[in-house]
Amino acid sequence: MSEVILQVRDLSVRYGGVLALSSVSFDVADAQIVGLIGPNGAGKTTCIDALSGFTAPSARNPSFRYISFLGRSIDRLSPQSRVRLGFARTFQSLELFDDLTVRDNLRVAAATPTWISTLTDALWPKRKVDAAVEEVLELLGLDSFAEDRPEHLSNGQRHLVAVGRALVGRPKLLLLDEPAAGLNPSETVELSKLLRSLPDRGVSVLLVDHDMSLVLGVCDQVHVLDFGSIIASGTPEQIRSDPLVISAYLGHGSSGVDEPALGAGSES
Amino acid sequence: MIGEYSGFILAGLGGGAVVAALALGLVLTNRATGVINFAFGAMGMYVAFAYFQFRDNGDLILPLIFVPSRIHLLATPTLFTALLMAVLLSAVLGAATYWLVFRPLRRAPALASVVASLGLMLYLQEVVRLNFPTGSAATVVRMGVLPEQPVRFLGTAVTANRLLLVVFVVLATVALTALFRYTKFGLQTRAAAGSQKGAMLVGISPDRIGLINSMIATVIAGIAVILIEPISGLDPITTSLLVLPALAAALLGGLSSFTIATCAGLGIGMLQSLILGYTVRPSTSWIPDWVPRTGLQQAVPVILVLIALVWRGDALPDRAYLVDKRLPSSPTPRHVTLWTILLVGATSVALLGFDAAHRQALIVTMVSALLALSIVVITGYVGQISLAQLAFAGVAGFTVINVANDGLPFPVAALVATLVATVVGVVVALPAARVRGMSLAIATLAMAVALEQLVLSSKGFSGGVAGRSAPRPVLFGVDFGISARGADNFRPIFGFLVLGVLTVSCLMVANLRRNRTGLRWLAVRSNERAAAAAGINVGRSKIGAFAVSSCIAGLAGVLLAYSTSTLSTNSFMVIGALVALALTYLGGIASIGGALIAGLLAQAGLFTLLANGGTDGKAGTYVFAISGLGLIAMAIFAPDGITGAVRQGAQHLQKSLKMGGQPPQQTALAGAGAGSGPGAGAGPAEGKPDHE
């Protein structure tokens, strides 16, 4: 078993009277792809927002470590500090910078500014090419669109830009929020190929999606969320046959026979 | 003792009531249309001017320029006909502003509606100044509506009109609350505010809702300003700026509660009156001389605004806040060296060749362009609407005069002053970084008023009304001073100093825009959540941008101080800050070229000088009114400003020249992209079929 890089313990988020996430615990190991699935409203995006620092957990015991990353507690860190530690994320709605070219979308995420960088940028700007940016552009096949603005790209390309922007800071762990939303099947296949290549590059992945075929197809370990709690955990094979999962996705009384979503994963 | 205070407090009821009435209108329009109308005070102000004119001689004066605006309606107007006219006029004004200005901007970014409402405010102020007899030449006898005899109230004497004003406001509040709570119309307004699309789906017209609410709000504002006239007077600018305390009250009510807004408005008025009454007593000698006595009272709503805003503020917008709204586009500066050579060359020739009047206009243009550049940085690049830039310039201007008169040599004094402006800018940014959009515009406007009232009006700092003069700037024995005798005045060498500062500033801003700092700024402007997820410290980026932009504004202030014989507080009044933002938006708020055009358009700049030459001085008269109208039009139709329009025109021309049978490249690429897989080119998606 390789080293655990993300450890989540007893994480809860409350919006007003609604408990959106209830005592969720799981681990992500180095070079692992972990999936988090669940039907709409299960708390997936809440979980991502809490992990990446955009939503505050409701329970706050100062001595307890809710989220540990690379061996240290990140509970009190701002979103940008978590990113700089190597914990990057994407958004379901992509949220690309529409005013910037594809290359600049990546450049802006590539380097950490120092307190003096505004001054050096104004007086003595560096003109060298950023190797990390060019590498990611090439990896994702975006080099020929580097000078285009995101609005001129196809939906699939825009998804790649979002992934590229998260990758360019060389994260240890990449949190993907529904990366396949709005992609057509062939684009989804390409995306899963890309995801499977990431562990070899030293990037672990936490993949959140409701597309069972994608998640079960690429993940080493899968956790199923429903009503804010993890109802099942295991390998894709175990999840595929878990009766609780089937009922959460299809409602009670259904047999697991006639649902394409669960079966499709094995094809890709 | 107690009686004395209660006298002050009750005297403030009148002012408080008008603040409350405006706050009610702001809450009403915000609930109905989601817009905060900075021009609301100005609308009430115009209605009041029209009312008193009509009451006096039966003339109705319309808010129009270039066409005959005076209509003689009645020979003998009565109180009733005049009030009826005022109600109708306000309703029409409310409807017109909604339909022509705010309805087209419903889905526009906050900047567009701020700019449009500033445009409306400028226009109304100017139109009143141009069309109505004002000032000492006023021939209109303003007949008050309410009885003014004193009555006893709670053991203290207070004039009846103050109490009646309060009654009017309280009745309006009760009526509005009941209207929203118990009628179908109120329910529909609340539904439309919640979701315009949803409201349309169930057959509610958001336009009708917006129109009616805007009419009601304007009637309340108009009547309140008419009723307050005998107490606080009527002035195009000060009455328009009543919108600021009203905003404070409305914000305290969360922009949604009529009752809290009214109570807060009355409270602000009474508190202001109490402070004013207390500070002017001879016995309050503990207040140091440098504190302007009237400034303290103006500062109260400002502090309330800031507390309300910062208290409600959030570090990052939540999911629900995100809306896909286009901001003015900010192209990467290109051909910087070429432009620099061309513009510096042309300006140098002009400085040497122009006569004194044109040299003066050129210097004004360059200083104004520098101020506009600071607005480009903070508002154009980072998307933070700052109305405090001119106040930063004022701080630097008076600082340089003070430290230079204390014996600091010219360049050191200038640097110290610029640094002071930068520090003030950062201090303003600290709370401002917690709010965004419309709230930030209000917060910085509040800061600008606070700086104007408390710092720039302070006798010890700025010399009060008389102003102060800077010594001549001398560097290495060379005199850079602007003034000389006769035709040599506005010496070219000072022009070259300004040109140098402007050029270096523009080049540095171009560098910032092309490098990581500028990319971070644009990322923050585009999407704060995504910026944080890209590892950008949003708050620090904003504060850095405030530092850069207030530094540039400070430079402009220093040059302004050296370019006028006497610098007075009048150069830095809040209205000037609004004009500066307006002109920068007109020029193109997100590009350096836009700042330069804004400089050309500035009052007493080259454009007005040239236009005056062609129109016998008439252009100067209309410049504010026209820029107000232009601003509204630009906000609605051309958010990229003049430079954007020119750029689009050039691209269009290029395209049509290239159209020699070959299809335009841009559309071909977009067309291919839309249908294909993740990458139509190289990479993991190579060779994918176009369709599933």
Side-chain angles (χ1 to χ4, degrees):
Chain A
M1 190 68 192
S2 52
E3 184 198 354
V4 169
I5 60 169
L6 177 73
Q7 186 176 310
V8 182
R9 290 291 175 273
D10 213 12
L11 184 66
S12 302
V13 175
R14 185 182 286 280
Y15 292 132
V18 182
L19 194 58
L21 209 58
S22 162
S23 293
V24 166
S25 305
F26 63 90
D27 290 343
V28 178
D30 194 19
Q32 202 182 24
I33 301 184
V34 173
L36 199 60
I37 55 174
N40 284 332
K44 300 187 299 291
T45 297
T46 301
C47 184
I48 280 210
D49 280 351
L51 291 177
S52 54
F54 284 89
T55 294
S58 53
R60 275 174 174 274
N61 179 350
S63 59
F64 189 78
R65 283 184 167 198
Y66 296 95
I67 310 167
S68 310
F69 180 67
L70 300 175
R72 60 174 284 192
S73 166
I74 59 168
D75 290 324
R76 289 152 191 274
L77 293 188
S78 63
Q80 66 269 16
S81 307
R82 299 183 196 204
V83 177
R84 297 218 195 101
L85 274 183
F87 187 8
R89 73 165 286 183
T90 65
F91 292 93
Q92 185 181 345
S93 45
L94 303 185
E95 322 236 330
L96 301 177
F97 303 126
D98 292 328
D99 302 313
L100 306 183
T101 63
V102 170
R103 176 174 279 119
D104 285 345
N105 259 281
L106 269 55
R107 267 176 83 199
V108 77
T112 313
T114 56
W115 65 273
I116 202 163
S117 56
T118 301
L119 218 54
T120 55
D121 272 357
L123 298 173
W124 205 258
K126 290 186 208 126
R127 291 240 176 265
K128 67 171 201 252
V129 177
D130 195 318
V133 171
E134 300 310 314
E135 187 192 321
V136 171
L137 283 175
E138 202 185 319
L139 170 74
L140 301 179
L142 290 169
D143 26 12
S144 48
F145 308 105
E147 293 304 318
D148 285 329
R149 290 208 292 180
E151 61 189 355
H152 296 132
L153 267 52
S154 74
N155 188 32
Q157 289 160 347
R158 290 165 53 82
H159 275 74
L160 288 179
V161 176
V163 174
R165 191 174 65 191
L167 276 179
V168 79
R170 302 183 197 278
K172 285 294 289 173
L173 176 61
L174 180 56
L175 235 165
L176 295 172
D177 190 359
E178 309 228 353
L183 295 191
N184 65 38
S186 70
E187 290 170 336
T188 309
V189 172
E190 289 309 319
L191 181 73
S192 53
K193 269 189 204 157
L194 171 70
L195 295 184
R196 271 188 300 234
S197 75
L198 290 178
D200 295 337
R201 300 177 165 268
V203 183
S204 310
V205 178
L206 178 59
L207 173 60
V208 177
D209 214 311
H210 61 234
D211 183 343
M212 293 278 268
S213 62
L214 175 73
V215 173
L216 296 180
V218 302
C219 291
D220 305 309
Q221 187 79 24
V222 177
H223 304 282
V224 185
L225 265 180
D226 196 18
F227 296 113
S229 305
I230 291 187
I231 56 166
S233 300
T235 62
E237 288 72 38
Q238 292 166 334
I239 295 300
R240 206 168 275 140
S241 53
D242 192 309
L244 268 175
V245 178
I246 293 168
S247 78
Y249 259 74
L250 299 168
H252 295 281
S254 294
S255 66
V257 184
D258 55 336
E259 28 72 37
L262 290 175
S266 53
E267 289 161 22
S268 61
Chain B
M1 193 69 182
I2 299 294
E4 189 183 2
Y5 290 134
S6 61
F8 290 142
I9 293 174
L10 287 180
L13 277 177
V18 78
V19 169
L22 290 178
L24 273 182
L26 286 171
V27 169
L28 187 61
T29 39
N30 180 62
R31 285 183 74 161
T33 61
V35 164
I36 296 177
N37 183 359
F38 279 93
F40 205 58
M43 287 162 70
M45 178 271 300
Y46 161 72
V47 171
F49 265 99
Y51 167 82
F52 288 112
Q53 183 68 49
F54 184 85
R55 181 80 180 88
D56 187 52
N57 64 2
D59 281 1
L60 172 63
I61 299 186
L62 296 171
L64 303 172
I65 51 172
F66 298 134
V67 291
S69 56
R70 190 187 278 259
I71 305 165
H72 188 67
L73 283 183
L74 279 181
T76 50
T78 61
L79 179 67
F80 174 75
T81 50
L83 276 179
L84 183 69
M85 188 285 303
V87 168
L88 290 176
L89 185 66
S90 334
V92 171
L93 183 67
T97 51
Y98 174 74
W99 203 258
L100 298 174
V101 181
F102 294 112
R103 189 185 60 95
L105 289 171
R106 267 196 320 229
R107 272 178 280 275
L111 178 62
S113 38
V114 168
V115 161
S117 66
L118 291 184
L120 183 59
M121 179 168 157
L122 269 185
Y123 177 75
L124 286 173
Q125 286 175 347
E126 278 306 293
V127 115
V128 165
R129 209 176 55 80
L130 292 169
N131 290 3
F132 287 86
T134 50
S136 53
T139 50
V140 177
V141 181
R142 289 181 187 154
M143 286 177 260
V145 178
L146 301 173
E148 288 175 43
Q149 75 274 21
V151 292
R152 301 293 295 179
F153 181 70
L154 301 177
T156 311
V158 59
T159 55
N161 54 1
R162 287 183 167 85
L163 293 180
L164 289 170
L165 247 172
V166 175
V167 171
F168 164 71
V169 170
V170 170
L171 283 179
T173 311
V174 171
L176 283 176
T177 309
L179 181 76
F180 268 61
R181 195 165 294 169
Y182 301 115
T183 68
K184 197 173 157 207
F185 176 75
L187 181 69
Q188 287 181 341
T189 303
R190 282 184 287 153
S195 162
Q196 292 202 335
K197 210 190 256 175
M200 276 192 260
L201 286 177
V202 295
I204 301 169
S205 157
D207 280 341
R208 196 176 62 93
I209 300 279
L211 196 68
I212 295 174
N213 280 304
S214 180
M215 287 160 74
I216 299 175
T218 315
V219 170
I220 294 176
I223 299 293
V225 177
I226 292 171
L227 298 186
I228 195 67
E229 195 278 337
I231 300 167
S232 344
L234 186 60
D235 173 80
I237 290 177
T238 43
T239 307
S240 301
L241 288 180
L242 276 177
V243 77
L244 197 67
L247 274 170
L251 280 169
L252 285 174
L255 285 171
S256 64
S257 164
F258 295 118
T259 316
I260 299 177
T262 301
C263 294
L266 289 171
I268 288 172
M270 291 190 285
L271 196 57
Q272 282 188 329
S273 169
L274 178 63
I275 292 173
L276 185 66
Y278 182 72
T279 49
V280 296
R281 288 187 329 165
S283 59
T284 46
S285 52
W286 56 269
I287 298 177
D289 271 349
W290 54 266
V291 175
R293 298 293 162 100
T294 50
L296 267 186
Q297 146 234 12
Q298 298 285 355
V300 172
V302 168
I303 293 162
L304 286 174
V305 166
L306 290 177
I307 292 173
L309 284 173
V310 175
W311 175 52
R312 282 158 44 92
D314 278 313
L316 282 175
D318 55 14
R319 267 196 263 174
Y321 185 85
L322 288 171
V323 274
D324 188 31
K325 289 172 169 176
R326 285 307 306 230
L327 293 157
S329 73
S330 172
T332 314
R334 288 186 203 286
H335 315 301
V336 173
T337 322
L338 182 69
W339 276 113
T340 310
I341 295 170
L342 277 178
L343 290 174
V344 169
T347 314
S348 305
V349 170
L351 277 174
L352 295 171
F354 276 178
D355 62 7
H358 285 80
R359 275 202 304 271
Q360 180 189 20
L362 184 55
I363 290 170
V364 168
T365 290
M366 290 191 285
V367 174
S368 310
L370 200 56
L371 184 71
L373 186 68
S374 87
I375 299 174
V376 164
V377 167
I378 192 68
T379 307
Y381 289 169
V382 201
Q384 309 301 304
I385 307 170
S386 170
L387 294 168
Q389 299 307 110
L390 189 66
F392 299 153
V395 168
F398 287 113
T399 304
V400 78
I401 290 176
N402 290 336
V403 295
N405 283 331
D406 286 349
L408 272 189
F410 153 66
V412 183
L415 286 179
V416 166
T418 310
L419 199 67
V420 168
T422 311
V423 170
V424 171
V426 170
V427 169
V428 165
L430 289 175
R434 285 176 56 80
V435 295
R436 51 185 56 76
M438 198 65 102
S439 310
L440 181 69
I442 299 168
T444 52
L445 184 63
M447 302 264 199
V449 172
L451 282 173
E452 183 197 326
Q453 296 293 340
L454 293 181
V455 180
L456 298 180
S457 304
S458 157
K459 261 205 180 103
F461 183 65
S462 67
V465 185
R468 290 210 166 142
S469 304
R472 294 181 82 86
V474 179
L475 182 60
F476 304 126
V478 181
D479 176 12
F480 282 90
I482 187 173
S483 59
R485 270 171 204 282
D488 292 335
N489 203 2
F490 308 106
R491 296 168 65 220
I493 191 166
F494 182 78
F496 281 107
L497 176 73
V498 177
L499 177 61
V501 173
L502 178 63
T503 308
V504 171
S505 305
C506 285
L507 287 176
M508 282 169 60
V509 169
N511 272 343
L512 286 171
R513 169 64 187 81
R514 285 183 295 181
N515 287 280
R516 295 248 170 80
T517 305
L519 294 183
R520 276 196 292 277
W521 288 349
L522 285 181
V524 167
R525 178 183 97 145
S526 170
N527 188 329
E528 291 188 15
R529 261 160 64 89
I536 298 168
N537 188 326
V538 172
R540 204 183 292 167
S541 277
K542 286 184 187 173
I543 291 168
F546 260 104
V548 171
S549 86
S550 54
C551 174
I552 298 171
L555 284 173
V558 167
L559 293 174
L560 191 63
Y562 280 117
S563 68
T564 49
S565 53
T566 313
L567 190 66
S568 88
T569 314
N570 289 343
S571 304
F572 306 106
M573 288 201 304
V574 161
I575 190 74
L578 304 183
V579 174
L581 179 77
L583 289 178
T584 314
Y585 195 88
L586 270 180
I589 198 152
S591 69
I592 296 170
L596 300 179
I597 291 183
L600 283 175
L601 298 175
Q603 198 194 12
L606 272 183
F607 181 77
T608 33
L609 181 69
L610 298 178
N612 274 345
T615 57
D616 298 331
K618 276 193 185 125
T621 325
Y622 289 109
V623 69
F624 279 171
I626 294 171
S627 52
L629 280 185
L631 210 54
I632 300 171
M634 281 280 177
I636 297 171
F637 301 110
D640 292 350
I642 292 173
T643 46
V646 169
R647 204 164 50 237
Q648 274 173 4
Q651 279 170 1
H652 209 73
L653 198 70
Q654 243 176 2
K655 238 185 222 170
S656 48
L657 285 178
K658 272 187 189 167
M659 284 285 236
Q662 48 182 336
Q665 207 184 346
Q666 197 70 22
T667 29
L669 193 135
S676 75
E686 189 155 33
K688 279 291 115 192
D690 269 11
H691 300 285
E692 11 184 318

